[in-house]
Amino acid sequence: MQLHPIRTLAGLAVLLAVAIIWGQLPAAPAAAQDTSPVPPDVSDGTFPKPPALYPRVAFWKRIYTEVGTDGGLIHDSRDIAVVYEVLRLPKGLSSRSRERKIRARKRHFEKLLLGLAGGRRTGLSVEERRVLGLFPEGVSNTTLRAASRQLRFQLGQANKFRDGVARMGRWEDYIKEVLLERQLPLGLVALPHVESSYNPDAYSHAGASGLWQFTRGTGRMFMRVDHVVDERRDPWIASVAAARLLAGNYEKTRTWPLAITAYNHGTSGMMRAVRKLGTRDIETVLDRYKSRTFGFASRNFYLSFLAALEVETDPERYFGPITKDAPLRPEIVPLDHYYKASTLAEVLGLPLADLKKHNRALLSPVWSGQKLVPRGYGLRVPASPERAAPRAMLAGVPQGLRFDEQLPDRYYRVKRGDSLSRIARRFKVRESELVALNGLRSRHHIRAGQRLRLPVKDAPRAVARVESPGRVPEPAPADGLYRVRRGDTLDGIAQRFGIGARDLAAANGIRNRNRIHVGQVLTLPGGGTSATAGGPAGVYVVRRGDTLEAIARRFGTTTQALVRHNGLGRPDRIHPGQRIYIPGGSSTPRSDAGDTRSTTEEARNGGPGPAALAPVDAAPPPVARALPSAPDRLPLDPDRYRVGMDGTAIVQPGESLGLLAQWLNTSASELRRLNGFSSSRTRLGARIRLDLSRVSRKRFESRRRAHHQQVQQGFYDRYAVDGARDVTIGPGDTLSSVLAAETALPLWLLLATNPELDPNRLRPGQRVRVPEVVPRG
């Protein structure tokens, strides 16, 4: 058993005596000094590490370097530097047996601490003296009694961290390019070690997925997340999304310690801490901020990041020689139609498993044939000098194997008494297909009323475009434009040039495909999927829902290169039908060499400085080239929907007395009487009393959260947030007038983007961050 360092001379004397008995000496106290190499972002103050945090950071370094997943540390949950035991778990134990062993050791130390809390200080056993020595001399019985209730076990991660250091080589260069482009600290490359050990297949019990562990709700703010494509699982796309989220967090919180903590806890929660404590000092926030949702994970997130950063800076110091995996640089081919995955694998001459390995965002229904690979998806193909260009190979796919539409969904509503096996037999499908298609964690857990997607058997072939015999699509004009002639129809023009009628309508902003007129000039989409005949640069026609960042990601270039190459004034202002020239026709996810800063030091000097010293009311330091901040992670901010200790709640956007009454199993008139209201109208942000006599507080909060999550989910099904802009409040302006000027912007999203905004107290000259909402294509 390995012992934790002792803090007092008395404790050290005891430990020396024990060491003589055991024939070994303990390691030097980690808390006394920190001789680890200091990462540049820590030394320059970007990621401050106050001396008081050294012991806590040392704890996480032990977790990442000393103890593997075959053991862990039993420690105090409030003062994690107090470690009672390094617990080793025998191999082959079941999860239940492991839990029993952990509980038994925690009970052992609980009993020991309670014994010491009784005031006994003489006649102690060797172990009792060792445990007592973990606390300051003269520790009170009250402190020891509290410690008996604060026992916690933390599983070791050393083997996973070492594997993660090797894996990170696949994406490290690309992630640093993304950070450099936004002039964010390069030290953020260590964050996936904390989140997933650089495992792109990581999936948490809370539903977080991928390298950066985005939850479904947060992921949908930046990426496509549905039952066909989940871009959280794509390390390249998710890295761009993480950079955007972190840049937004920093813009709101103004310090990197708070921005990183907000990655776990949400920016609203961190801004509440700032308002409550009146400081942005991370040490004060970690020690003094109290909230039901600011638990162990949130309180330790920045500490574990600092530990991961130090270990990642010099991994061989802790693990010995490590060879990092070679960088992955697949070619990217945007698909102009829907395809079966098996067709793509066959045409490209790849095993289906290899194609799946490089396209993690495509979910099981695609690989099982229940869904097609979507049009517009950037297919990643492993680069090979021995193979023809993937674009040219896909051009040879027979017309009958290209599809204009996705395979339709079929649904079944679960009834009382149903089981997954019974449903599978009824529809003559496999249980495994139902599990994969619906993302079920277990085939044994379905509920009455649940809607299940059913596999599509013998999908209609009418979705494939069938050309008349001998009919070959014409090449598009050099300028990508077509002037409508007498007798033309939109479908006929689309068929003539071998493009989808829906794409043609979307590219030209046409809502009614039956209404085009002679002389109308149409932009033909699809020119951007290959290089133009006139030069080396490809041309892409912007579609509805596109962003410049998504286009850059699709063609393996950078937003800076697209802005410069196209002379764009603002990267957040592009429109459907606009022609974007792709520099060099690049198909690999490399940034232009001229767009990145040449050294780490240059990027650091131009990026955010030691913002932790900024006063609470200071203007935020600029984050150069960071995209506009995205809205907060509402599904992860349950404080909004909690009931106060006095049985009151604050009215949220979209809530009414009737809705609140419904969740309480009472009537609106009863709530009106309880609060002394003369009408059923409620004011946003008002605090009202609740009648909790019919439902429990927990039940009410659960119903309330479920309602708002459903509202938000429905919004993200239809719209995407493409950055944000500042709006200055004028005389007489209200939130209603701000919303009236926007399309499809809900009030809850506006308030989430501005967590410090009081909706009832706007003042002229005040700046409000307004999210830009675009329909999903």
Side-chain angles (χ1 to χ4, degrees):
M1 182 177 68
Q2 193 171 347
L3 300 180
H4 186 268
I6 305 302
R7 298 175 180 169
T8 65
L9 291 175
L12 185 57
V14 173
L15 184 59
L16 287 170
V18 175
I20 292 172
I21 296 172
W22 286 359
Q24 61 179 12
L25 289 174
Q33 57 182 345
D34 192 342
T35 59
S36 306
V38 180
D41 286 327
V42 174
S43 63
D44 72 6
T46 302
F47 303 132
K49 182 185 172 185
L53 299 186
Y54 286 3
R56 285 177 266 182
V57 174
F59 169 88
W60 287 106
K61 287 173 67 176
R62 295 185 70 185
I63 292 296
Y64 291 147
T65 63
E66 292 183 20
V67 191
T69 51
D70 60 345
L73 305 181
I74 294 181
H75 64 96
D76 186 281
S77 62
R78 292 294 298 182
D79 184 359
I80 59 176
V82 176
V83 176
Y84 300 101
E85 181 178 66
V86 177
L87 179 62
R88 303 292 181 182
L89 300 169
K91 291 183 179 179
L93 284 183
S94 66
S95 58
R96 183 170 296 181
S97 298
R98 289 165 65 100
E99 287 298 324
R100 277 201 297 265
K101 186 172 181 62
I102 293 168
R103 282 198 301 269
R105 294 307 296 167
K106 288 168 67 176
R107 282 197 297 269
H108 168 77
F109 286 106
E110 179 184 9
K111 182 178 178 182
L112 191 151
L113 286 165
L114 287 174
L116 293 172
R120 189 164 55 90
R121 295 293 185 269
T122 59
L124 301 179
S125 67
V126 171
E127 187 177 29
E128 286 173 327
R129 288 197 297 273
R130 179 182 68 80
V131 169
L132 187 61
L134 296 175
F135 296 88
E137 191 172 358
V139 60
S140 69
N141 295 334
T142 302
T143 299
L144 292 170
R145 189 173 296 106
S148 72
R149 299 190 295 270
Q150 294 166 185
L151 290 162
R152 186 180 179 277
F153 174 79
Q154 177 62 50
L155 186 69
Q157 301 288 315
N159 53 325
K160 294 177 70 173
F161 200 103
R162 189 187 193 284
D163 293 343
V165 171
R167 271 193 301 266
M168 75 180 292
R170 306 175 193 176
W171 308 286
E172 181 180 8
D173 289 348
Y174 179 75
I175 293 173
K176 287 183 176 179
E177 288 173 6
V178 171
L179 296 174
L180 280 169
E181 182 176 301
R182 288 155 183 79
Q183 295 191 2
L184 301 178
L186 288 182
L188 294 172
V189 75
L191 196 56
H193 285 300
V194 179
E195 289 285 18
S196 66
S197 299
Y198 264 94
N199 179 6
D201 296 321
Y203 193 90
S204 78
H205 67 278
S209 180
L211 211 68
W212 295 88
Q213 288 292 281
F214 276 95
T215 61
R216 192 175 184 88
T218 307
R220 292 178 75 134
M221 296 177 180
F222 304 96
M223 299 170 280
R224 176 175 176 178
V225 181
D226 54 38
H227 65 293
V228 178
V229 177
D230 187 346
E231 292 181 334
R232 298 177 299 167
R233 295 168 48 84
D234 185 298
W236 291 275
I237 296 175
S239 294
V240 175
R244 292 179 62 188
L245 176 58
L246 286 163
N249 287 355
Y250 178 78
E251 187 176 355
K252 294 175 185 176
T253 62
R254 309 178 189 175
T255 80
W256 277 114
L258 294 182
I260 290 170
T261 307
Y263 194 89
N264 176 271
H265 187 63
T267 52
S268 288
M270 298 319 299
M271 295 314 297
R272 273 194 298 273
V274 170
R275 289 193 298 271
K276 185 174 181 180
L277 300 176
T279 180
R280 284 185 163 82
D281 176 67
I282 187 61
E283 183 183 344
T284 304
V285 171
L286 296 183
D287 287 341
R288 293 176 49 198
Y289 181 53
K290 291 180 173 57
S291 166
R292 283 189 288 174
T293 58
F294 195 63
F296 183 85
S298 297
R299 197 176 298 277
N300 282 273
F301 196 74
Y302 180 64
L303 303 171
S304 57
F305 165 76
L306 287 178
L309 179 59
E310 292 183 12
V311 176
E312 187 273 329
T313 300
D314 187 12
E316 295 191 352
R317 171 190 174 117
Y318 304 95
F319 302 114
I322 297 180
T323 302
K324 290 187 177 181
D325 294 349
L328 293 178
R329 293 293 188 182
E331 296 183 72
I332 303 177
V333 186
L335 300 181
D336 55 351
H337 293 80
Y338 292 87
Y339 294 91
K340 289 184 177 179
S342 56
T343 299
L344 295 173
E346 183 178 352
V347 169
L348 294 169
L350 293 171
L352 192 63
D354 284 2
L355 194 64
K356 181 178 181 180
K357 176 183 175 183
H358 283 80
N359 293 273
R360 299 175 186 273
L362 298 177
L363 299 182
S364 295
V366 172
W367 304 110
S368 66
Q370 302 304 320
K371 288 292 179 182
L372 302 174
V373 182
R375 176 171 47 208
Y377 174 78
L379 188 73
R380 299 189 187 275
V381 182
S384 172
E386 301 176 359
R387 185 180 54 237
R391 297 172 190 267
M393 298 176 76
L394 290 180
V397 175
Q399 198 68 37
L401 297 179
R402 305 180 183 198
F403 298 86
D404 283 338
E405 298 177 1
Q406 182 61 273
L407 300 180
D409 288 323
R410 291 194 304 158
Y411 295 94
Y412 173 75
R413 183 81 62 181
V414 177
K415 300 175 182 176
R416 189 179 300 277
D418 272 342
S419 67
L420 206 65
S421 59
R422 181 178 300 176
I423 296 171
R425 286 196 303 270
R426 176 177 176 181
F427 291 98
K428 299 180 180 179
V429 299
R430 295 192 300 272
E431 283 186 68
S432 58
E433 290 180 306
L434 290 176
V435 170
L437 193 60
N438 292 277
L440 302 178
R441 301 302 303 274
S442 169
R443 67 184 61 199
H444 305 298
H445 291 92
I446 57 174
R447 64 182 186 280
Q450 184 176 358
R451 196 170 72 149
L452 296 178
R453 286 189 176 88
L454 300 175
V456 178
K457 296 297 183 181
D458 300 321
R461 300 303 178 193
V463 296
R465 183 188 298 113
V466 180
E467 301 288 352
S468 56
R471 178 73 179 270
V472 179
E474 297 179 17
D479 61 359
L481 303 176
Y482 176 79
R483 189 176 297 278
V484 177
R485 303 170 186 171
R486 188 178 301 279
D488 276 342
T489 64
L490 200 71
D491 289 338
I493 297 170
Q495 188 178 44
R496 176 178 174 179
F497 292 105
I499 57 181
R502 290 186 179 182
D503 287 343
L504 183 59
N508 291 276
I510 298 174
R511 295 186 177 182
N512 186 342
R513 67 171 64 187
N514 298 313
R515 299 191 64 177
I516 58 174
H517 56 82
V518 176
Q520 183 176 356
V521 177
L522 301 179
T523 298
L524 302 178
T529 59
S530 62
T532 62
V539 179
Y540 178 77
V541 179
V542 178
R543 299 177 181 175
R544 185 177 58 186
D546 274 340
T547 65
L548 202 66
E549 186 165 32
I551 297 170
R553 187 175 66 225
R554 183 178 301 174
F555 289 96
T557 184
T558 67
T559 52
Q560 287 177 319
L562 291 181
V563 167
R564 186 179 64 251
H565 199 72
N566 290 272
L568 301 177
R570 290 187 57 180
D572 57 337
R573 284 285 185 256
I574 57 175
H575 56 81
Q578 183 176 355
R579 295 164 63 80
I580 299 293
Y581 292 87
I582 311 299
S586 172
S587 62
T588 58
R590 292 188 64 88
S591 299
D592 277 12
D595 292 334
T596 58
R597 305 285 287 273
S598 60
T599 67
T600 302
E601 189 60 33
E602 288 176 344
R604 190 174 297 110
N605 290 339
L613 303 179
V616 173
D617 295 323
V623 181
R625 287 206 46 77
L627 289 180
S629 65
D632 191 22
R633 301 194 269 180
L634 278 184
L636 295 183
D637 188 19
D639 272 1
R640 298 176 183 271
Y641 313 121
R642 290 194 185 278
V643 178
M645 298 303 294
D646 57 354
T648 63
I650 296 175
V651 177
Q652 299 295 328
E655 292 183 344
S656 63
L657 278 186
L659 198 54
L660 294 168
Q662 180 181 331
W663 299 330
L664 292 164
N665 289 352
T666 186
S667 64
S669 59
E670 178 62 25
L671 280 184
R672 192 168 60 244
R673 183 197 62 76
L674 182 64
N675 286 274
F677 293 160
S678 57
S679 71
S680 294
R681 297 187 63 180
T682 55
R683 181 174 58 87
L684 177 65
R687 184 176 289 277
I688 65 172
R689 296 189 189 89
L690 303 178
D691 178 5
L692 295 169
S693 62
R694 296 175 178 84
V695 298
S696 66
R697 180 194 305 261
K698 185 176 180 181
R699 180 69 170 170
F700 170 81
E701 290 176 345
S702 175
R703 289 175 174 178
R704 194 183 191 194
R705 279 196 304 271
H707 167 81
H708 286 285
Q709 190 164 7
Q710 184 178 17
V711 169
Q712 295 162 20
Q713 192 101 346
F715 170 81
Y716 288 117
D717 282 338
R718 302 188 304 277
Y719 299 98
V721 178
D722 184 20
R725 70 181 193 281
D726 284 333
V727 171
T728 302
I729 299 298
D733 277 347
T734 63
L735 283 187
S736 297
S737 64
V738 173
L739 290 172
E742 305 298 323
T743 303
L745 176 62
L747 177 57
W748 60 262
L749 182 56
L750 181 65
L751 294 178
T753 313
N754 300 270
E756 296 183 89
L757 181 67
D758 184 341
N760 300 306
R761 293 184 179 179
L762 295 184
R763 62 181 185 275
Q766 184 177 6
R767 290 201 319 169
V768 176
R769 203 74 164 146
V770 177
E772 297 192 334
V773 174
V774 295
R776 291 190 182 272

